[in-house]
Amino acid sequence: MIEQEKDLQQQRISADELMQWSAAAFTASGMNREDAELGAQVLLRTSLRGIDTHGIARIPAYLDKLRGGEVDPLAQPLLESRHGTLHCDGRKGLGQVVASRAMEAAIAAARTTAMAGCTIRNSGHLAALGMFVLQASEQGMFAMLCQRTPPLMALPGATARAIGNNPIAFSMPVADGPPLVFDMAASIVARGNVLQAVRDKLPSIPEGWAISPDGEPTTDPAKALAGAMLPMAGYKGIGLAMMVECLAGSFSGAEPEQNRNTGTAGSASDASAFLLVINPELMFGRTAFDAYSGAWLQHYLQASGTSGRYPGQRQAASEAERRREGIPVPAALREELRQAGEKLGVSFRW
Amino acid sequence: MIEQEKDLQQQRISADELMQWSAAAFTASGMNREDAELGAQVLLRTSLRGIDTHGIARIPAYLDKLRGGEVDPLAQPLLESRHGTLHCDGRKGLGQVVASRAMEAAIAAARTTAMAGCTIRNSGHLAALGMFVLQASEQGMFAMLCQRTPPLMALPGATARAIGNNPIAFSMPVADGPPLVFDMAASIVARGNVLQAVRDKLPSIPEGWAISPDGEPTTDPAKALAGAMLPMAGYKGIGLAMMVECLAGSFSGAEPEQNRNTGTAGSASDASAFLLVINPELMFGRTAFDAYSGAWLQHYLQASGTSGRYPGQRQAASEAERRREGIPVPAALREELRQAGEKLGVSFRW
């Protein structure tokens, strides 16, 4: 009975149909057909790969931003190359379009030069960074992508949020399997977990997640929300966040004022980022790359025991299963998508 | 009394005199004058900056390796550029010399191209990565350097060491202060802490440091030594180590067999690494870089409270103090250096 109820709430919808609906909603928001399909495709794939928090669940918020003018539906990212490095001005376009185009340009550059870097500024929220690095590895490339977020993290004793939790993702091709894809933020857990605890009126959150505004460790969801998230691994998490702040912020060409943006990560419309693509073929050749990578990956899997799996395998399995069976969409999200569709005259019929 | 005893044991020796002795010891080991001075200078500076575990304390071991032939005193690193990326074959030379030369070449390249990458293979142990990235930032550059180590880290449940604790360091110039330098490994603590606990016959180590060979968490120093170190932040530490394994290993041109080297990190004589230098001047200009970096660094320091200090400041203060007052050298290390000097006919008179 409970299982059945769960099934009803998590209705499966075919990826193709969701893709068509999403692209239609973006088109109805003023985007051209090509960009609308690209944006929809990235978000659908995020959901296919099981990253439900960063996939189609973000569409209602993005549609709001397109309507409100915070994201420009007609923006065409401007790419320029200077001194061997690419720079992408997103011109406030949808992040999924901006980052895909930047990655595409870097992949193209890495066909003739072994390493290609690209900065990104004035972009909409990028959501799941793993999607863009995966795009590179599916074309035989290594890619690293990091993004700065507004400050939301601090060490105990801090009286304000000191630095973003600045996520970093990378992907590499694997000779006989799906690409290895890894994606993390520098906070112990995402701030979304605290938001959810507040929404659900939970009495407490686990120790070690956050500090209150006076800098003291707290398990009170409301104090945590007003305070700051704790970094993973203490000062090491802060140090990594600083490296990303430098790569994705200081080098991006964004204005220092944008750095002071204190919006939450999910609503940033002036994201900046940094990506690096390396072509194994132009380093010591793909064969050498595969031989070396195969050696350490195989050792890792053996040492980790029979359940050893590398990052990205579970997502690849999810993608295969959901392409076949459809994407589970909870009732609350279906309702949100229905309402968003109504405003645009694009009926969501599930 | 105890203070006095401590002072006597931690005798201060002038950096210049230690530098001369170290360079003489390297020269007596077969290195040419220039390389001997470069190697000595890097290690001395590491001690000056307060990183006592990776500075002159390593000299006796390096002299042993030079004598034993594991490190080639006459090796000249071979640098080549292909498809816009530099590759450095260290030819089993002293790591301090190899990495300094590779960094020098990348800095030179970054004067005409905004980003310069360099792989390093067949190098002696690099010790403190922070020293090499600092070298770049003192010339106005951002630098990132990562190195693979033999496997020594694993998640609970693993029955063998799965992956290295693959350190990563970066440095960036700061307009009105010393460079920001950050240096970390992906294990919770360095394996040296377990080694020390075994040597000191301590009954236990803190929880969360290591697992025993059967994959269970342990506080027994001997079991921890036979087992594996735990990664920082769980799977995130493993993911970061994989990124470094790919950059510093898979792209380095080293043979897969070298990857299987199961020596301890401190004794690796076939280290491989990856470095990236970015020139702010050729991105959006040094002025834009400083304005943006100044904004986030100032915000970080203010939010963190009055004791806020950025990574690298304490080391810079140590360097100033120790240049003035000398480097404290404990009695046991003085004895080691004395014995090492005797074998080479280079008397250590302190």
Coordinates of all heavy atoms in Angstrom, one line a residue, chain A residues 244-325:
Chain A
V244 N 39.2 28.0 -5.9 CA 38.1 28.1 -6.9 C 37.8 29.6 -7.0 O 37.5 30.1 -8.1 CB 36.9 27.3 -6.5 CG1 35.7 27.6 -7.4 CG2 37.2 25.8 -6.6
E245 N 37.8 30.3 -5.9 CA 37.4 31.8 -5.9 C 38.4 32.5 -6.8 O 38.0 33.4 -7.6 CB 37.5 32.3 -4.5 CG 36.9 33.7 -4.3 CD 35.4 33.6 -4.3 OE1 34.8 32.7 -3.7 OE2 34.8 34.5 -5.0
C246 N 39.7 32.0 -6.8 CA 40.7 32.7 -7.6 C 40.5 32.3 -9.1 O 40.4 33.2 -9.9 CB 42.1 32.2 -7.1 SG 43.4 33.1 -7.9
L247 N 40.4 31.0 -9.4 CA 40.2 30.6 -10.7 C 38.9 31.1 -11.4 O 38.9 31.6 -12.5 CB 40.2 29.0 -10.8 CG 41.6 28.3 -10.6 CD1 41.4 26.8 -10.4 CD2 42.5 28.6 -11.8
A248 N 37.8 30.9 -10.6 CA 36.5 31.1 -11.2 C 36.1 32.6 -11.0 O 35.2 33.0 -11.7 CB 35.5 30.2 -10.6
G249 N 36.7 33.2 -10.0 CA 36.3 34.6 -9.7 C 37.3 35.6 -10.2 O 37.1 36.4 -11.2
S250 N 38.5 35.6 -9.6 CA 39.5 36.6 -9.9 C 39.9 36.7 -11.3 O 40.4 37.7 -11.8 CB 40.7 36.4 -9.0 OG 40.4 36.4 -7.6
F251 N 39.9 35.5 -12.0 CA 40.3 35.5 -13.4 C 39.2 35.7 -14.4 O 39.4 35.7 -15.6 CB 41.0 34.1 -13.7 CG 42.4 34.0 -13.2 CD1 42.8 33.0 -12.5 CD2 43.3 35.0 -13.6 CE1 44.1 32.9 -12.0 CE2 44.7 34.9 -13.1 CZ 45.1 33.9 -12.3
S252 N 38.0 35.8 -13.9 CA 36.8 35.7 -14.8 C 36.5 37.0 -15.6 O 35.7 36.9 -16.5 CB 35.6 35.3 -14.0 OG 35.1 36.3 -13.2
G253 N 37.0 38.1 -15.1 CA 36.6 39.3 -15.7 C 35.4 39.9 -15.2 O 34.9 41.0 -15.6
A254 N 34.8 39.3 -14.1 CA 33.6 39.8 -13.5 C 34.0 41.0 -12.6 O 35.1 41.1 -12.2 CB 32.9 38.7 -12.6
E255 N 33.0 41.9 -12.4 CA 33.3 43.0 -11.5 C 33.4 42.6 -10.1 O 32.6 41.8 -9.6 CB 32.1 44.1 -11.7 CG 32.0 44.6 -13.1 CD 33.2 45.4 -13.5 OE1 33.9 46.1 -12.7 OE2 33.6 45.3 -14.7
P256 N 34.2 43.3 -9.3 CA 34.3 42.9 -7.8 C 33.0 43.0 -7.1 O 32.7 42.3 -6.2 CB 35.3 44.0 -7.3 CG 36.1 44.4 -8.4 CD 35.2 44.3 -9.6
E257 N 32.1 43.9 -7.6 CA 30.8 44.1 -6.9 C 30.0 42.8 -7.0 O 29.2 42.5 -6.2 CB 30.0 45.2 -7.6 CG 30.6 46.6 -7.4 CD 31.9 46.8 -8.1 OE1 32.0 46.4 -9.2 OE2 32.8 47.4 -7.5
Q258 N 30.2 42.1 -8.2 CA 29.4 40.9 -8.4 C 29.9 39.9 -7.3 O 29.1 39.0 -6.9 CB 29.7 40.3 -9.8 CG 29.0 41.2 -10.8 CD 29.3 40.7 -12.2 OE1 29.9 41.4 -13.0 NE2 28.9 39.5 -12.6
N259 N 31.1 40.0 -6.9 CA 31.6 39.1 -5.9 C 30.9 39.3 -4.6 O 30.8 38.4 -3.8 CB 33.1 39.4 -5.7 CG 33.7 38.7 -4.5 OD1 33.7 39.3 -3.4 ND2 34.1 37.5 -4.7
R260 N 30.4 40.5 -4.3 CA 29.7 40.8 -3.1 C 28.3 40.4 -3.1 O 27.6 40.4 -2.0 CB 29.9 42.3 -2.7 CG 31.3 42.7 -2.6 CD 31.4 44.0 -1.7 NE 32.8 44.4 -1.6 CZ 33.5 45.2 -2.4 NH1 32.8 45.7 -3.4 NH2 34.7 45.5 -2.3
N261 N 27.8 39.9 -4.2 CA 26.4 39.4 -4.3 C 26.2 38.4 -3.2 O 26.9 37.4 -3.0 CB 26.3 38.7 -5.7 CG 25.0 38.0 -5.8 OD1 24.2 37.9 -4.9 ND2 24.8 37.4 -7.0
T262 N 25.2 38.7 -2.4 CA 24.9 37.8 -1.2 C 23.7 37.0 -1.4 O 23.2 36.4 -0.5 CB 24.8 38.6 0.1 OG1 23.9 39.7 -0.2 CG2 26.2 39.2 0.5
G263 N 23.2 36.9 -2.7 CA 22.1 36.0 -2.9 C 22.5 34.5 -2.6 O 23.7 34.3 -2.4
T264 N 21.5 33.6 -2.6 CA 21.9 32.2 -2.4 C 22.4 31.6 -3.7 O 22.1 32.1 -4.8 CB 20.7 31.4 -1.9 OG1 19.7 31.6 -2.8 CG2 20.2 32.0 -0.6
A265 N 23.1 30.6 -3.6 CA 23.8 30.0 -4.8 C 22.7 29.7 -5.8 O 22.9 29.9 -7.0 CB 24.5 28.7 -4.4
G266 N 21.6 29.2 -5.4 CA 20.6 28.7 -6.4 C 20.0 29.9 -7.2 O 19.4 29.6 -8.3
S267 N 20.1 31.1 -6.8 CA 19.5 32.2 -7.5 C 20.4 33.1 -8.1 O 20.0 34.1 -8.7 CB 18.6 33.0 -6.5 OG 19.4 33.8 -5.6
A268 N 21.7 32.8 -8.1 CA 22.7 33.7 -8.7 C 22.4 33.8 -10.2 O 22.2 32.8 -10.9 CB 24.1 33.1 -8.5
S269 N 22.4 35.0 -10.7 CA 22.2 35.2 -12.2 C 23.4 35.8 -12.8 O 23.4 36.2 -13.9 CB 21.0 36.0 -12.4 OG 21.2 37.3 -11.9
D270 N 24.5 35.9 -12.0 CA 25.7 36.4 -12.5 C 26.9 35.5 -12.1 O 27.9 35.9 -11.5 CB 26.0 37.9 -12.1 CG 25.9 38.0 -10.6 OD1 25.6 37.0 -9.9 OD2 26.0 39.2 -10.1
A271 N 26.7 34.2 -12.4 CA 27.7 33.2 -12.0 C 28.9 33.4 -12.8 O 28.9 33.8 -14.0 CB 27.1 31.8 -12.2
S272 N 30.1 33.1 -12.2 CA 31.3 33.0 -12.9 C 32.0 31.7 -12.6 O 31.7 31.1 -11.6 CB 32.2 34.3 -12.7 OG 32.4 34.5 -11.3
A273 N 32.8 31.3 -13.6 CA 33.3 29.9 -13.5 C 34.6 29.8 -14.3 O 35.0 30.8 -15.0 CB 32.3 28.9 -14.1
F274 N 35.3 28.7 -14.2 CA 36.5 28.5 -14.9 C 36.5 27.0 -15.4 O 36.2 26.1 -14.6 CB 37.7 28.7 -14.0 CG 39.0 28.4 -14.6 CD1 39.7 29.3 -15.4 CD2 39.6 27.1 -14.3 CE1 40.9 28.9 -16.0 CE2 40.9 26.8 -14.9 CZ 41.5 27.7 -15.7
L275 N 36.9 26.8 -16.6 CA 37.0 25.4 -17.0 C 38.3 25.2 -17.8 O 38.9 26.1 -18.4 CB 35.8 25.0 -17.9 CG 35.5 25.6 -19.2 CD1 36.2 24.8 -20.3 CD2 34.0 25.6 -19.5
L276 N 38.7 23.9 -17.7 CA 40.0 23.5 -18.3 C 39.7 22.2 -19.0 O 39.1 21.3 -18.4 CB 41.0 23.3 -17.2 CG 42.4 22.8 -17.6 CD1 43.1 23.9 -18.3 CD2 43.2 22.4 -16.3
V277 N 40.1 22.1 -20.3 CA 39.9 20.9 -21.0 C 41.3 20.4 -21.5 O 42.1 21.2 -21.9 CB 39.0 21.1 -22.3 CG1 39.0 19.8 -23.1 CG2 37.6 21.5 -21.8
I278 N 41.6 19.1 -21.3 CA 42.9 18.6 -21.7 C 42.6 17.4 -22.6 O 41.8 16.5 -22.3 CB 43.8 18.1 -20.5 CG1 43.9 19.3 -19.5 CG2 45.1 17.7 -21.0 CD1 44.8 19.0 -18.3
N279 N 43.3 17.4 -23.7 CA 43.2 16.3 -24.7 C 44.3 15.3 -24.6 O 45.4 15.5 -24.9 CB 43.2 17.0 -26.1 CG 43.0 16.0 -27.2 OD1 42.9 14.8 -27.0 ND2 42.8 16.4 -28.4
P280 N 43.9 14.1 -24.1 CA 44.9 13.0 -23.9 C 45.7 12.7 -25.1 O 46.9 12.5 -25.0 CB 44.1 11.8 -23.5 CG 42.8 12.4 -22.9 CD 42.5 13.6 -23.7
E281 N 45.0 12.8 -26.3 CA 45.7 12.5 -27.5 C 46.9 13.4 -27.8 O 47.9 13.0 -28.3 CB 44.7 12.7 -28.7 CG 44.9 11.9 -29.9 CD 44.9 10.4 -29.6 OE1 43.9 9.8 -29.5 OE2 46.1 9.9 -29.5
L282 N 46.8 14.7 -27.3 CA 47.9 15.6 -27.6 C 48.9 15.7 -26.4 O 49.8 16.6 -26.4 CB 47.3 17.0 -27.9 CG 46.4 17.1 -29.2 CD1 46.1 18.5 -29.4 CD2 47.1 16.5 -30.4
M283 N 48.7 14.9 -25.4 CA 49.6 14.9 -24.3 C 50.6 13.7 -24.6 O 51.5 13.9 -25.4 CB 48.9 14.6 -22.9 CG 48.0 15.7 -22.5 SD 48.7 17.3 -22.1 CE 49.1 17.1 -20.4
F284 N 50.4 12.5 -24.1 CA 51.3 11.4 -24.5 C 50.5 10.4 -25.3 O 50.9 9.2 -25.3 CB 51.9 10.8 -23.2 CG 53.0 11.7 -22.7 CD1 52.8 12.7 -21.7 CD2 54.3 11.5 -23.1 CE1 53.8 13.5 -21.2 CE2 55.3 12.3 -22.6 CZ 55.1 13.3 -21.7
G285 N 49.4 10.8 -25.8 CA 48.5 9.9 -26.6 C 47.5 9.2 -25.8 O 47.7 9.0 -24.6
R286 N 46.4 8.9 -26.4 CA 45.3 8.3 -25.7 C 45.6 6.9 -25.2 O 45.2 6.5 -24.1 CB 44.0 8.2 -26.7 CG 42.8 7.6 -26.1 CD 42.2 8.4 -25.0 NE 41.2 7.7 -24.2 CZ 39.9 7.7 -24.4 NH1 39.4 8.4 -25.3 NH2 39.1 6.9 -23.6
T287 N 46.5 6.1 -25.9 CA 46.9 4.8 -25.5 C 47.6 4.8 -24.1 O 47.3 4.1 -23.2 CB 47.7 4.1 -26.6 OG1 47.0 4.2 -27.8 CG2 48.0 2.7 -26.2
A288 N 48.6 5.8 -24.0 CA 49.3 5.9 -22.8 C 48.4 6.4 -21.7 O 48.5 5.9 -20.5 CB 50.4 6.9 -23.0
F289 N 47.5 7.3 -22.0 CA 46.5 7.8 -21.0 C 45.7 6.6 -20.5 O 45.5 6.4 -19.2 CB 45.6 8.8 -21.6 CG 44.6 9.4 -20.7 CD1 44.9 10.5 -19.8 CD2 43.3 8.9 -20.6 CE1 44.0 11.0 -18.9 CE2 42.4 9.4 -19.7 CZ 42.7 10.4 -18.9
D290 N 45.2 5.8 -21.4 CA 44.3 4.7 -21.0 C 45.1 3.6 -20.2 O 44.5 3.1 -19.2 CB 43.7 4.0 -22.2 CG 42.5 4.9 -22.8 OD1 42.0 5.8 -22.0 OD2 42.1 4.6 -23.9
A291 N 46.3 3.4 -20.6 CA 47.1 2.4 -19.9 C 47.3 2.8 -18.4 O 47.2 2.1 -17.5 CB 48.4 2.1 -20.6
Y292 N 47.7 4.1 -18.3 CA 48.0 4.6 -16.9 C 46.7 4.7 -16.1 O 46.7 4.2 -14.9 CB 48.7 5.9 -17.0 CG 49.4 6.3 -15.7 CD1 50.8 6.2 -15.5 CD2 48.7 6.9 -14.6 CE1 51.4 6.5 -14.4 CE2 49.3 7.2 -13.5 CZ 50.6 7.0 -13.3 OH 51.3 7.4 -12.2
S293 N 45.7 5.3 -16.7 CA 44.4 5.4 -15.9 C 43.9 4.1 -15.6 O 43.3 3.9 -14.5 CB 43.4 6.2 -16.8 OG 43.9 7.5 -17.0
G294 N 43.9 3.1 -16.5 CA 43.4 1.8 -16.3 C 44.1 1.2 -15.1 O 43.5 0.5 -14.2
A295 N 45.4 1.4 -15.0 CA 46.2 0.8 -13.9 C 45.7 1.3 -12.5 O 45.4 0.5 -11.6 CB 47.7 1.0 -14.1
W296 N 45.6 2.6 -12.4 CA 45.2 3.1 -11.1 C 43.7 2.9 -10.7 O 43.4 2.7 -9.6 CB 45.7 4.6 -10.8 CG 45.0 5.7 -11.6 CD1 45.6 6.4 -12.6 CD2 43.8 6.3 -11.3 NE1 44.7 7.4 -13.0 CE2 43.6 7.4 -12.3 CE3 42.7 6.2 -10.4 CZ2 42.5 8.2 -12.3 CZ3 41.6 7.0 -10.4 CH2 41.5 8.0 -11.4
L297 N 42.9 2.9 -11.8 CA 41.5 2.7 -11.5 C 41.2 1.3 -11.1 O 40.4 1.0 -10.2 CB 40.7 3.1 -12.8 CG 39.2 3.5 -12.6 CD1 39.0 4.5 -11.5 CD2 38.7 4.0 -13.9
Q298 N 41.9 0.4 -11.8 CA 41.7 -1.0 -11.5 C 42.2 -1.3 -10.1 O 41.6 -2.0 -9.3 CB 42.5 -1.9 -12.5 CG 42.2 -3.4 -12.5 CD 43.1 -4.1 -13.4 OE1 44.2 -3.6 -13.8 NE2 42.7 -5.3 -13.8
H299 N 43.4 -0.7 -9.8 CA 43.9 -0.9 -8.4 C 42.9 -0.4 -7.4 O 42.6 -1.0 -6.4 CB 45.2 -0.2 -8.2 CG 45.7 -0.3 -6.8 ND1 46.3 -1.4 -6.3 CD2 45.6 0.6 -5.8 CE1 46.6 -1.2 -5.0 NE2 46.1 0.0 -4.7
Y300 N 42.3 0.8 -7.7 CA 41.4 1.4 -6.7 C 40.2 0.5 -6.5 O 39.7 0.3 -5.4 CB 40.9 2.8 -7.3 CG 39.8 3.4 -6.4 CD1 40.1 4.0 -5.2 CD2 38.5 3.2 -6.8 CE1 39.1 4.4 -4.4 CE2 37.5 3.7 -5.9 CZ 37.8 4.3 -4.7 OH 36.8 4.7 -3.9
L301 N 39.6 0.0 -7.6 CA 38.4 -0.8 -7.5 C 38.7 -2.1 -6.8 O 37.9 -2.6 -5.9 CB 37.9 -1.1 -8.9 CG 37.3 0.1 -9.7 CD1 36.9 -0.3 -11.1 CD2 36.1 0.7 -8.9
Q302 N 39.9 -2.8 -7.1 CA 40.2 -4.0 -6.3 C 40.4 -3.7 -4.9 O 39.9 -4.5 -4.0 CB 41.5 -4.6 -6.9 CG 41.2 -5.3 -8.3 CD 42.4 -5.8 -9.0 OE1 43.5 -5.4 -8.6 NE2 42.3 -6.5 -10.1
A303 N 41.2 -2.7 -4.5 CA 41.4 -2.4 -3.1 C 40.2 -2.1 -2.4 O 40.1 -2.3 -1.2 CB 42.4 -1.2 -3.0
S304 N 39.2 -1.5 -3.1 CA 38.0 -1.0 -2.4 C 37.0 -2.1 -2.1 O 35.9 -1.9 -1.5 CB 37.3 0.1 -3.2 OG 38.2 1.2 -3.3
G305 N 37.3 -3.3 -2.6 CA 36.4 -4.5 -2.4 C 35.4 -4.7 -3.6 O 35.4 -3.9 -4.5
T306 N 34.7 -5.7 -3.4 CA 33.8 -6.1 -4.6 C 32.8 -5.1 -5.0 O 32.3 -5.1 -6.1 CB 33.1 -7.5 -4.3 OG1 32.5 -7.3 -3.0 CG2 34.1 -8.6 -4.3
S307 N 32.4 -4.3 -4.0 CA 31.4 -3.2 -4.3 C 32.0 -2.0 -4.9 O 31.3 -1.0 -5.1 CB 30.6 -2.9 -3.0 OG 31.4 -2.2 -2.2
G308 N 33.3 -2.1 -5.1 CA 34.0 -0.9 -5.7 C 33.4 -0.4 -7.0 O 33.2 -1.2 -7.9
R309 N 33.1 0.8 -7.0 CA 32.5 1.4 -8.2 C 33.1 2.8 -8.3 O 33.5 3.4 -7.3 CB 31.0 1.6 -7.9 CG 30.2 1.8 -9.2 CD 28.8 1.3 -9.0 NE 28.1 1.7 -7.8 CZ 26.8 1.5 -7.6 NH1 26.1 1.0 -8.6 NH2 26.3 1.9 -6.5
Y310 N 33.4 3.3 -9.5 CA 34.0 4.6 -9.6 C 32.9 5.7 -9.8 O 31.8 5.4 -10.3 CB 35.1 4.6 -10.6 CG 34.7 4.4 -12.1 CD1 34.2 5.4 -12.9 CD2 35.0 3.1 -12.7 CE1 33.8 5.1 -14.2 CE2 34.7 2.9 -14.0 CZ 34.1 3.9 -14.7 OH 33.8 3.7 -16.1
P311 N 33.2 6.9 -9.5 CA 32.2 8.0 -9.6 C 31.8 8.1 -11.0 O 32.6 8.2 -11.9 CB 32.9 9.2 -9.1 CG 34.1 8.8 -8.3 CD 34.5 7.4 -8.9
G312 N 30.5 8.2 -11.2 CA 29.9 8.3 -12.6 C 29.2 7.0 -13.0 O 28.3 7.1 -13.9
Q313 N 29.6 5.9 -12.5 CA 29.0 4.6 -12.9 C 27.5 4.5 -12.5 O 26.7 4.1 -13.2 CB 29.8 3.4 -12.3 CG 31.0 3.1 -13.1 CD 31.7 1.9 -12.7 OE1 32.0 1.7 -11.5 NE2 31.9 1.0 -13.6
R314 N 27.2 5.0 -11.2 CA 25.9 4.9 -10.8 C 25.0 5.8 -11.6 O 23.9 5.5 -12.0 CB 25.8 5.3 -9.3 CG 24.5 5.1 -8.6 CD 24.4 5.8 -7.3 NE 25.5 5.5 -6.4 CZ 25.4 4.7 -5.3 NH1 24.2 4.2 -5.0 NH2 26.4 4.4 -4.6
Q315 N 25.5 7.0 -11.9 CA 24.8 8.0 -12.8 C 24.5 7.4 -14.2 O 23.4 7.6 -14.7 CB 25.5 9.3 -12.9 CG 25.5 10.2 -11.6 CD 26.2 11.5 -11.8 OE1 26.4 11.9 -13.0 NE2 26.5 12.2 -10.7
A316 N 25.5 6.7 -14.7 CA 25.3 6.1 -16.0 C 24.3 5.1 -16.0 O 23.4 4.9 -16.9 CB 26.7 5.6 -16.5
A317 N 24.2 4.3 -14.9 CA 23.2 3.2 -14.8 C 21.8 3.9 -14.7 O 20.9 3.4 -15.3 CB 23.5 2.3 -13.6
S318 N 21.8 4.9 -13.9 CA 20.5 5.6 -13.7 C 20.0 6.1 -15.1 O 18.8 6.0 -15.4 CB 20.7 6.8 -12.7 OG 19.6 7.7 -12.8
E319 N 20.9 6.7 -15.8 CA 20.5 7.2 -17.1 C 19.9 6.2 -18.0 O 18.9 6.4 -18.7 CB 21.7 7.9 -17.8 CG 21.4 8.6 -19.1 CD 22.5 9.5 -19.6 OE1 23.6 9.5 -19.0 OE2 22.3 10.2 -20.6
A320 N 20.6 5.0 -18.1 CA 20.1 3.9 -18.9 C 18.7 3.5 -18.4 O 17.8 3.3 -19.2 CB 21.0 2.7 -18.9
E321 N 18.5 3.3 -17.1 CA 17.3 2.9 -16.6 C 16.2 3.9 -16.8 O 15.0 3.6 -17.2 CB 17.4 2.6 -15.1 CG 16.3 1.8 -14.4 CD 15.3 2.7 -13.8 OE1 15.5 4.0 -13.6 OE2 14.2 2.2 -13.4
R322 N 16.5 5.2 -16.6 CA 15.4 6.2 -16.7 C 15.1 6.5 -18.2 O 13.9 6.9 -18.5 CB 15.8 7.5 -16.0 CG 15.8 7.3 -14.5 CD 16.2 8.6 -13.7 NE 15.9 8.4 -12.3 CZ 15.9 9.4 -11.4 NH1 16.1 10.6 -11.8 NH2 15.7 9.1 -10.1
R323 N 16.0 6.3 -19.1 CA 15.7 6.5 -20.5 C 14.7 5.4 -20.9 O 13.8 5.7 -21.7 CB 17.0 6.3 -21.4 CG 17.7 7.6 -21.6 CD 18.5 7.6 -22.9 NE 19.6 8.7 -22.8 CZ 19.3 10.0 -23.0 NH1 18.1 10.4 -23.2 NH2 20.3 10.8 -22.8
R324 N 14.8 4.3 -20.3 CA 13.9 3.1 -20.6 C 12.6 3.3 -19.9 O 11.5 3.2 -20.5 CB 14.6 1.9 -20.1 CG 14.3 0.6 -20.9 CD 15.3 -0.5 -20.5 NE 15.3 -0.7 -19.0 CZ 16.4 -0.7 -18.3 NH1 17.6 -0.6 -18.9 NH2 16.4 -0.8 -17.0
E325 N 12.7 3.6 -18.6 CA 11.5 3.6 -17.7 C 10.8 4.9 -17.5 O 9.7 5.0 -16.9 CB 11.8 2.9 -16.4 CG 12.5 1.6 -16.5 CD 11.6 0.5 -17.0 OE1 10.4 0.6 -16.8 OE2 12.2 -0.5 -17.5

